[in-house]
Amino acid sequence: MLAGCSGVAGERPGTADGRARDPARGVNDTRRLPPVVDHVATREPVVFLTYDDGAERDPRFVGLVRERRLPVSLFLTDSVVGPGYGHFARLRAVGASIQNHTLDHPALRGLPYAGQRAEICGQQHKLRSRFGIVPRLFRPPHGTYDRTTLRAAADCGIAAIVLWRASLNADGELTYTRGEPGLRAGDIVSVPSGGTGSPTLAERTVRLLREIEARGLRVGRLEDHLESAPARRAARN
C-alpha cells in the first residue's frame, strides 16, 4: 500500500519550479494552463473532502457516503486500485466523484513531458474505460509538480490541479500547509490512506465530520465550486 501521498503531515506540497523542459509550443498556442488550488473562494460554509490513491477499500465508507450524502472526491491511482475498481464504482453510485491521480504514482516534478503526459493521460483513459467519464481534476502524487505537469495536464483535458490546505494525520488531527490553523470555508482537505493499525477510513471520516460540523461547516462538491467560484492558487515556497 502506498502511504503518505500527501507528504509529511503539515508539509507544504511542492510547487512549480520549472526544472523540467517543456515541449516546443507554436507562437499561436494560447492554451491556458490549469490553476493549482488548495482553497476555493466561496461564501458558502463548505469544505471539500478528498481521498487519495485507492488503497483503502473500507465497505463501511460506502455506507457512510450514502447515508450522509457526502460529495467526496476520490483521486485514484491505477496501480494502487488494481482489481478494486468495483468498490469505487459503488462509491460513485452513491455520490462520490472519481478523479485522476496518475497510473503509477511517481513524483512528477522533474520528469520529461512525455513521461508526465503518459501518467496523466494514461489514467484518464483508464478511468474513461472503467466509468465512462473524463475527469477534470488532477492531484499530482505527493503534491509535487512543475510547469511541465501543468502543460501535460492541460493536454490531457484537466481543468485544475488540486492540492490541499488541510491534511488529516494518522492520529486524526488536522495539520495545515499554510495560514492559521483551523478549518475555514473553502478549504480543501486531504485524507491520505491509513497505515496498519490506524482507524478505518470510515472512522477517520466520522471524526473529521464532527470537527467540520462543530465549526458550522458542511461538505461541498469540489467540482461544482471550482466551476462556479474563483479558486485560490496554492501558495508558493
Side-chain angles (χ1 to χ4, degrees):
M1 179 176 71
L2 290 176
C5 180
S6 295
V8 177
E11 178 180 306
R12 186 192 303 277
T15 55
D17 63 4
R19 286 187 293 177
R21 291 182 178 273
D22 296 324
R25 302 174 74 196
V27 294
N28 294 323
D29 189 347
T30 58
R31 289 172 297 175
R32 184 180 175 214
L33 298 182
V36 181
V37 301
D38 62 4
H39 181 91
V40 177
T42 178
R43 294 182 179 180
E44 292 187 48
V46 295
V47 294
F48 309 101
L49 299 189
T50 64
Y51 297 77
D52 289 355
D53 303 339
E56 286 190 76
R57 293 186 275 280
D58 179 2
R60 288 172 292 182
F61 184 64
V62 180
L64 178 65
V65 170
R66 181 183 62 249
E67 292 164 13
R68 298 286 192 100
R69 298 183 178 180
L70 295 176
V72 298
S73 299
L74 311 175
F75 290 83
L76 300 185
T77 296
D78 182 68
S79 63
V80 178
V81 176
Y85 274 105
H87 173 79
F88 296 100
R90 291 189 288 275
L91 276 165
R92 182 168 179 260
V94 298
S97 77
I98 303 297
Q99 305 297 340
N100 189 327
H101 197 44
T102 71
L103 283 173
D104 298 310
H105 206 271
L108 295 177
R109 185 168 62 193
L111 295 181
Y113 171 83
Q116 296 204 38
R117 189 180 189 281
E119 282 288 337
I120 301 170
C121 285
Q123 183 64 342
Q124 292 286 84
H125 296 320
K126 285 276 188 178
L127 295 175
R128 183 172 60 188
S129 67
R130 293 280 185 174
F131 302 108
I133 60 173
V134 180
R136 298 285 287 160
L137 305 182
F138 171 67
R139 172 166 286 165
H142 315 290
T144 62
Y145 67 96
D146 56 19
R147 188 172 179 82
T148 299
T149 311
L150 306 186
R151 296 242 174 117
D155 290 344
C156 296
I158 297 297
I161 309 296
V162 178
L163 302 183
W164 58 91
R165 195 183 85 86
S167 181
L168 192 70
N169 65 25
D171 296 325
E173 300 294 326
L174 284 169
T175 58
Y176 298 86
T177 61
R178 61 178 180 82
E180 293 295 322
L183 284 176
R184 59 176 187 252
D187 278 346
I188 298 172
V189 183
S190 169
V191 183
S193 298
T196 303
S198 297
T200 67
L201 190 60
E203 290 169 341
R204 298 202 311 278
T205 300
V206 167
R207 293 179 188 177
L208 179 55
L209 290 173
R210 291 194 192 110
E211 180 161 352
I212 291 169
E213 291 162 1
R215 292 182 174 273
L217 301 167
R218 56 184 171 81
V219 181
R221 184 172 295 278
L222 180 58
E223 306 93 284
D224 294 347
H225 283 75
L226 281 177
E227 291 176 0
S228 63
R232 176 164 181 161
R233 288 182 177 268
R236 293 190 176 187
N237 286 334

